[in-house]
Each structure stands twice: as structure tokens, then as C-alpha cells.
Amino acid sequence: MPSDCAIGIHDLSCATTEFVLPHATLAGHNGTEIGKYHVGIGQQSMSVPAADEDVVTMGAAAAAPIVARHGADRIRTVVFATESSIDQAKSAGVYVHSLLGLPSATRVVELKQACYGGTAALQFAIGLVLRDRRQQVLVVASDISKYDLDSPGESTQGAAAVAMLVAADPALVRIEEPSGLFTVDVMDFWRPNYRDAALVDGEESITVYLQAVESAWKDYTEQGGRSLDEFTAFCYHQPFTKMAYKAHRHLLNTCGYDTDESRIGRAVERTTAYNRVIGNSYTASAYLGLAALLDQADDLAGRPVGFLSYGSGSVAEFFAGTVAPGYREHLRTSAHREAIDRRRTLDYAAYRELHERSLPTDGGDHPVPQQTTGAFRLAALRGHKRIYERR
Ligand code: CAA
């Protein structure tokens, strides 16, 4: 695509939670050999939301710096992607729209297809900008990954939000055509409406993720996509960082290459730095991978990056983006490091108490304990309504 008609990610901003649980603490509780967490699944720690945090507060925290930098004049659409929705009817995006003071002449909607929702939002945003290149779309992908205590999934929890401003002539990454697509009806991971924590068939979920990589790549090549050798790095959905290595190894095998470990490392390692300490953030995960890559790699200007988005159930998409010239001037590297480093470390008992906590459902007036120190918080539940405040 010629650069004068490029559309893609103009700004990218990440946020995470108030608290963090080191995997060493979880291992201390359940007797797991720490190597299984640090090496086996590639996780060091996981973000844990405070009582007064949810997908809205994280999403607003991620998006606020974008609005502060670019203003809201050209934003006419907000797409909020999540699978940790707070309401069956109202979009979490409307709360974010309100917290950020966006203009009323905006369309706002929430999207869902497990961890794939963030990519759906990005692609739909590109379609809108293609129709009117003056407009910008604010994409917010925000999720809390929660599994039952003492279940195998517990070590793959986490929480984060990524906000992306999608625009013509983007400063960070130009998203390309074509995409490789794949959908199959499978029950590898799901969360019925009556449950807080997800259900998962762990082994099956890894198998079908790998099948989805292969199938989305096959469609990508049939649609006339780039060859594997052209890519400088690959941003995979990372439920745990080791999954990116498994996925890339599988892709290399599918394409008839040797599974040379150093080649796999070069392709994915730089994308894992944030996910390794934040954990699974569902819709945000692949874009946390992109943030980590851009924030720490040598100059990638002009280099193609591959994206593989996987959402259980399942839908997958493979697509390419080319890093824009001068992108480094627009990064938020120190803010991302600060969001990770400022988290306060929980002991096991405090983590368990937060995990077991659920919001009252009686419709009464319930202030929410003030635990966060960030810009946005869930202040109360009143008459079945969530009351948010901006500090
Ligand atoms: N030192 C080093 N490595 C060790 C070790 C040690 N002491 N002990 C074990 N390991 C390794 C194992 O060999 C294994 O490695 P391989 O996968 O390379 O064989 C790895 O650690 C994990 O060990 P197990 O498979 O025994 O771990 P488990 O039974 O606890 O399950 C899990 C792991 C399936 C990921 C589980 O945590 C889970 O169900 N998580 C949620 C589901 C999930 O994340 N699925 C991913 C695909 S689905 C998706 O991507 C969508 C999504 O976001 C959910």
C-alpha cells in the first residue's frame, strides 16, 4: 500500500492494575516448582486488579494520554473490545467516553469474540477511516483474565488495557491487506454469563490455538500475503509468553523450516517483555506484545511485523503491519515502564481475598473500598449502577 493511503496505529498506550502477584508467591502457596512458571509457561508475575478497578478504569487510564496528546476533535468512533464485560447491554466504552469527556457526536460500541476482539476492533476501525480519512477511531482493548483459585489456569491470569488511535498516515504502524482468517466452533475456553471465572480445557486450547495459527497463515498466503522471511518479528496473542514460542515454532514447521530455537527467539522474544510480567490480558495481549517490541527494539522503521490474533471459541487472524518512519518519537516507553513498575506487590492472602471478592448484587448503595491510586476508579455501586470517578 503506498504510504499516502496508509491507515493504521497512530498512537498506542498501555495501562495495567494497581497490584501484582509474583509467580514465586503463587508457587510458595501451591508447592509448584518455580521453573514451571518462569520457564515452562514463561511468566514472572501477573497483574491483579484492586477492588475499585475494572475494565472501564483500565481502559480510561490507557486512553486518557492519547486524548491528551491528540485531542478528541477527529475521534468520531470508540470501539471497546473486552471479554470481561461489566454489563450485558451498555457498552463499557460509553463509561470511558464519559470519563474522558469525549464529544457527544461519537458512536460507541463494545465488541466480543474472546481474545480476538481487539483485532476485530482494529480492523473495523481501519474500515471506518478508509471511508473518511479525516476521522480517527479510538480502539480500547481491556480485560481481566480470571480463573478459579487452585486451578491450572490460575497461573495464567493477568489484566491490562491497550488503547490505540487508528488514523490515516499513522505515526507507528501501517496495517496492511490482506488478512488470513479462520473460524471454527470449538469449546476450548469460555465463560458462561453466570460465572466470574473462565472455564478452559487447557490442553485442547493449546492444540486449537496452534491449528488456528496454521489455518490463518494458510489463508493469508492464499490471499497473496508476504512470505515468512520478510517479517522482522511476530506479535502473537500471549495467554502466557511461552505460547508465542510454541506458536512460532508451529508456524515455522508448517512452512517447512527447521525449528531453530535462536530463530524463534529473534522473532518473538522482544514481544514478550510486558506480557511476561503482566500475564494474560486477553484482547490487549497481542498489542502489549507490539508495545514491548516497539519500546525496546532497535530501529524497526520500514520493517514488516506479523500479527496473530487468537480468540478461543474460536476466531484467528494473521495480518502484517509495517513500522512507520520516525515512530520512535511517538512511543510511550517510560509511561509503560512506570505503569508496570508502580504496581504494589501482594502477598498470597491479599491476592486470594481480592480474587474471592464479588460486587454486591442487591441494588443497594455500596461504596467500593478505595485501593487504587490511579486517575480513574470505581467509586460505588448504587441502584445496580456502577459509579466511576476521575481524580
Ligand atoms: N521447569 C521447567 N518447565 C517445566 C517445569 C519445571 N520445573 N515443570 C513443568 N514444566 C513445563 C512443562 O513441561 C510444560 O511445558 P510444555 O508446554 O512446553 O510441554 C509447561 O511447563 C506447562 O506445564 P503443564 O502443561 O504441566 O501445566 P498445566 O497443566 O498447569 O497447564 C496451561 C498449563 C494449560 C497453560 C494452564 O495454565 C491453562 O489451562 N491455562 C489457561 C488456558 C490457556 O492459557 N490456554 C492457551 C491457549 S487458549 C488462548 O490463548 C486464549 C486465552 O487467552 C485463554
Side-chain angles (χ1 to χ4, degrees):
M1 187 185 279
S3 62
D4 60 347
C5 44
I7 297 172
I9 303 169
H10 192 50
D11 198 354
L12 177 67
S13 164
C14 308
T16 187
T17 56
E18 185 73 21
F19 296 124
V20 61
L21 183 77
H23 276 77
T25 304
L26 183 62
H29 161 75
N30 62 22
T32 297
E33 152 63 39
I34 193 62
K36 172 170 170 178
Y37 293 153
H38 288 175
V39 181
I41 60 169
Q43 289 304 130
Q44 208 73 26
S45 59
M46 54 198 186
S47 286
V48 179
D52 50 343
E53 282 182 310
D54 64 13
V55 291
V56 168
T57 62
M58 285 193 300
I66 290 185
V67 175
R69 183 185 281 179
H70 303 275
D73 295 355
R74 293 171 64 190
I75 298 175
R76 287 182 58 80
T77 305
V78 177
V79 190
F80 194 105
T82 189
E83 55 182 299
S84 347
S85 193
I86 55 159
D87 194 288
Q88 295 284 41
K90 180 166 174 165
S91 164
V94 174
Y95 295 101
V96 171
H97 173 274
S98 165
L99 285 167
L100 299 182
L102 298 180
S104 57
T106 311
R107 67 166 76 79
V108 181
V109 69
E110 184 172 307
L111 285 185
K112 177 181 68 186
Q113 172 33 55
C115 309
Y116 170 71
T119 297
L122 173 63
Q123 294 291 359
F124 297 170
I126 289 167
L128 286 168
V129 177
L130 198 56
R131 202 168 71 164
D132 177 357
R133 296 173 56 81
R134 291 166 304 178
Q135 294 187 24
Q136 299 178 331
V137 179
L138 180 62
V139 168
V140 181
S142 181
D143 264 308
I144 295 166
S145 166
K146 189 171 179 182
Y147 295 93
D148 286 333
L149 290 167
D150 303 317
S151 73
E154 187 179 17
S155 58
T156 58
Q157 299 177 115
V162 169
M164 295 182 269
L165 190 65
V166 176
D169 196 16
L172 297 181
V173 181
R174 299 167 177 164
I175 302 297
E176 300 175 356
E177 275 287 322
S179 277
L181 305 173
F182 179 68
T183 291
V184 62
D185 182 3
V186 60
M187 292 301 281
D188 58 328
F189 164 104
W190 68 106
R191 184 169 68 82
N193 287 346
Y194 49 82
R195 280 183 64 94
D196 252 10
L199 296 167
V200 66
D201 180 339
E203 212 180 304
E204 167 81 347
S205 71
I206 293 172
T207 305
V208 296
Y209 180 129
L210 297 178
Q211 283 165 358
V213 169
E214 187 176 331
S215 304
W217 173 260
K218 183 169 177 289
D219 186 51
Y220 177 72
T221 52
E222 286 169 5
Q223 300 297 320
R226 291 176 180 272
S227 76
L228 199 70
D229 291 326
E230 292 179 62
F231 292 99
T232 198
F234 291 79
C235 295
Y236 287 94
H237 168 57
Q238 294 174 40
F240 49 95
T241 64
K242 200 65 179 289
M243 191 69 221
Y245 291 80
K246 285 180 189 285
H248 198 60
R249 188 175 300 115
H250 190 74
L251 183 58
L252 289 177
N253 277 333
T254 301
C255 297
Y257 289 100
D258 286 342
T259 46
D260 167 4
E261 290 305 313
S262 62
R263 178 177 180 159
I264 297 170
R266 279 197 304 279
V268 302
E269 190 179 351
R270 292 168 298 177
T271 71
T272 61
Y274 295 163
N275 287 289
R276 172 173 264 278
V277 291
I278 285 176
N280 197 353
S281 57
Y282 294 160
T283 52
S285 165
Y287 302 98
L288 276 184
L290 174 64
L293 175 70
L294 298 179
D295 282 349
Q296 59 175 344
D298 295 339
D299 195 356
L300 295 175
R303 311 285 286 275
V305 173
F307 293 82
L308 187 284
S309 180
Y310 175 74
S312 289
S314 72
V315 176
E317 179 162 348
F318 186 94
F319 61 98
T322 302
V323 181
Y327 75 98
R328 286 173 131 183
E329 289 158 39
H330 307 277
L331 296 177
R332 299 178 178 278
T333 312
S334 54
H336 294 160
R337 299 254 156 81
E338 161 69 10
I340 289 169
D341 293 345
R342 71 183 285 280
R343 295 172 302 170
R344 289 182 282 151
T345 303
L346 294 171
D347 63 21
Y348 184 79
Y351 150 73
R352 197 169 177 108
E353 194 182 321
L354 277 169
H355 194 289
E356 284 173 336
R357 207 175 176 279
S358 58
L359 292 170
T361 56
D362 62 7
D365 187 353
H366 301 281
V368 177
Q370 187 157 328
Q371 297 178 341
T372 52
T373 52
F376 304 95
R377 66 178 296 266
L378 172 63
L381 260 87
R382 200 169 296 145
H384 295 293
K385 296 173 193 146
R386 289 190 188 221
I387 311 296
Y388 292 98
E389 66 182 27
R390 179 175 189 154
R391 289 198 176 95

